[in-house]
Amino acid sequence: MDCRKLKFIERLKMAIFISFVFFLSTSNGFGQQVEISGGLAQKVLFGQEKSVYRPSLGYELGFNHHVNDYRFAHSVSYGFNIGAYRLNRYNSEDGLADQHQQLFETKGSFRYDYFVKSNFSFFSGIEAGFQFINLKTDQNVVLSSERTTQVFTKGVLAPKAGFNFEFNPYLSVYYKLSYDLGRYLGDHPTWGNPSSKWTHLLNNSAGIRIKFNNGYLY
């Protein structure tokens, strides 16, 4: 296996391991509520690459420690999210229409919920972490073996806002809108012209949240 791919796998394992250690340590420290969320997401590019790439579809999972303050109409959640996406190029006349990027991201997350009704809340917060990008193609002759195994790393900062609707104390649905500001650390993909180390994406996502209390549903 290519040494760059091995380094990427080791880096990915380390990032997930550190995230789980952080999550478990905070959960054990408070020992009250654990929240797991998951949903579908769409990333839409802004900036210089908007005309090159189609909107990206993917999945996201979240693992959070959730704290309710029953004296006030708010709650706080913190933990980490992971996501996987596929970013396709628009059809073009240069023979590269079948190329796409595989994106995997892991980010720390903070969320503040404010309840306007007993089962409806608005939230705001921020996420920060890393995104790992690998170039792929359905036509093996289009990309060299060196480019298909190269992994690009991007730092990401993403303020977010949205709302939750609770069906009951342990099950809710959410909608989230976030702005992903990213910058490549080192080399960056050069598909399309122009290209930049900076990326700007609008992220829409929706899914469900499930809360547990000391390992059991409420």
Side-chain angles (χ1 to χ4, degrees):
M1 185 180 292
D2 187 271
C3 62
R4 283 189 293 266
K5 184 169 290 188
L6 286 174
K7 289 181 179 179
F8 167 69
I9 294 174
E10 292 302 318
R11 188 186 308 172
L12 183 58
K13 287 180 179 179
M14 181 61 67
I16 295 176
F17 174 75
I18 292 174
S19 299
F20 269 110
V21 169
F22 170 78
F23 176 67
L24 291 175
S25 64
T26 55
S27 296
N28 290 334
F30 293 92
Q32 293 182 357
Q33 301 174 24
V34 173
E35 179 188 88
I36 300 176
S37 62
L40 299 176
Q42 179 193 54
K43 291 183 181 292
V44 180
L45 274 159
F46 291 145
Q48 299 185 74
E49 296 181 324
K50 180 179 180 181
S51 61
V52 180
Y53 298 103
R54 297 176 181 174
S56 173
L57 297 176
Y59 307 91
E60 63 177 21
L61 293 173
F63 304 88
N64 291 279
H65 176 70
H66 184 79
V67 180
N68 274 317
D69 190 335
Y70 295 104
R71 299 168 300 173
F72 304 98
H74 69 241
S75 63
V76 172
S77 300
Y78 54 90
F80 69 96
N81 295 333
I82 58 176
Y85 308 88
R86 172 174 170 144
L87 194 61
N88 296 301
R89 291 188 76 226
Y90 280 107
N91 291 329
S92 63
E93 297 179 356
D94 56 11
L96 302 180
D98 295 318
Q99 288 188 356
H100 63 273
Q101 292 183 6
Q102 287 184 338
L103 291 77
F104 178 85
E105 65 181 20
T106 175
K107 296 185 293 188
S109 173
F110 173 82
R111 189 181 86 243
Y112 175 89
D113 298 342
Y114 181 80
F115 284 84
V116 294
K117 292 185 178 181
S118 60
N119 62 346
F120 185 84
S121 62
F122 290 103
F123 67 82
S124 61
I126 194 165
E127 299 176 1
F130 298 95
Q131 193 174 80
F132 305 99
I133 297 96
N134 190 209
L135 303 184
K136 294 293 183 180
T137 179
D138 297 330
Q139 301 174 354
N140 295 329
V141 296
V142 176
L143 291 178
S144 66
S145 59
E146 180 179 356
R147 291 187 68 195
T148 57
T149 56
Q150 185 173 5
V151 176
F152 303 92
T153 304
K154 184 198 303 180
V156 179
L157 182 67
K160 61 182 178 181
F163 61 84
N164 306 300
F165 180 84
E166 295 188 352
F167 295 103
N168 51 52
Y170 57 86
L171 178 64
S172 62
V173 294
Y174 72 89
Y175 168 77
K176 180 179 72 175
L177 179 66
S178 64
Y179 171 72
D180 294 4
L181 174 63
R183 189 181 191 279
Y184 285 99
L185 309 177
D187 294 336
H188 66 286
T190 56
W191 289 359
N193 187 20
S195 62
S196 171
K197 282 185 173 293
W198 291 94
T199 59
H200 309 268
L201 299 97
L202 185 67
N203 183 62
N204 292 278
S205 61
I208 63 173
R209 304 190 197 278
I210 301 175
K211 294 187 181 70
F212 299 84
N213 186 25
N214 292 328
Y216 298 93
L217 288 171
Y218 282 111

